[in-house]
Amino acid sequence: MVRESDLAEAAAEAEDLPHPRDIVGEHEEIPIEDIFDEAFMREYTDFEDFDAMVAASPSEANSAAELELVPDGTWDEFVAETTAFADEESMVFAARDHWVETQLNL
């Protein structure tokens, strides 16, 4: 079972949080490999990194850059089988919270 995020609580208790724009620019995209970093992948999945997970999926995709080649239903099943998550949505939200916690040192 994956722990529920305590991000809001940790942020409320933090004394000195940076301004969001100091972390990510207004129109800056965060690379998917940064969201699904190696620490997250090792803790919650059967893979060392996100590229390896995508490459192992039942699809033609060989890296995160080709993630759109993995059919949605197939990806949800693959996530459920190879991670601590029930589906893609729960994995994405957990990775988002992990990324924010890491950026804010929470």
Side-chain angles (χ1 to χ4, degrees):
M1 176 75 147
V2 178
R3 73 170 173 82
E4 289 295 316
S5 174
D6 56 354
L7 181 59
E9 182 180 323
E13 293 175 3
E15 304 243 344
D16 187 28
L17 291 177
H19 188 277
R21 292 292 173 240
D22 292 339
I23 304 293
V24 179
E26 184 174 353
H27 299 289
E28 181 181 354
E29 288 190 30
I30 304 164
I32 196 165
E33 295 87 354
D34 288 357
I35 303 292
F36 295 95
D37 67 11
E38 289 181 7
F40 179 86
M41 295 301 292
R42 287 184 182 133
E43 183 171 351
Y44 296 111
T45 78
D46 295 343
F47 305 97
E48 293 291 314
D49 59 42
F50 196 68
D51 278 334
M53 182 176 178
V54 174
S57 70
S59 73
E60 300 290 321
N62 291 312
S63 69
E66 299 175 335
L67 184 59
E68 71 278 352
L69 297 176
V70 183
D72 286 338
T74 302
W75 183 249
D76 273 338
E77 287 178 26
F78 183 69
V79 167
E81 293 170 4
T82 60
T83 75
F85 305 99
D87 56 28
E88 176 184 20
E89 181 178 280
S90 58
M91 185 170 124
V92 168
F93 284 124
R96 175 208 58 193
D97 289 354
H98 168 80
W99 184 85
V100 171
E101 289 170 347
T102 301
Q103 297 304 305
L104 299 179
N105 295 314
L106 297 176

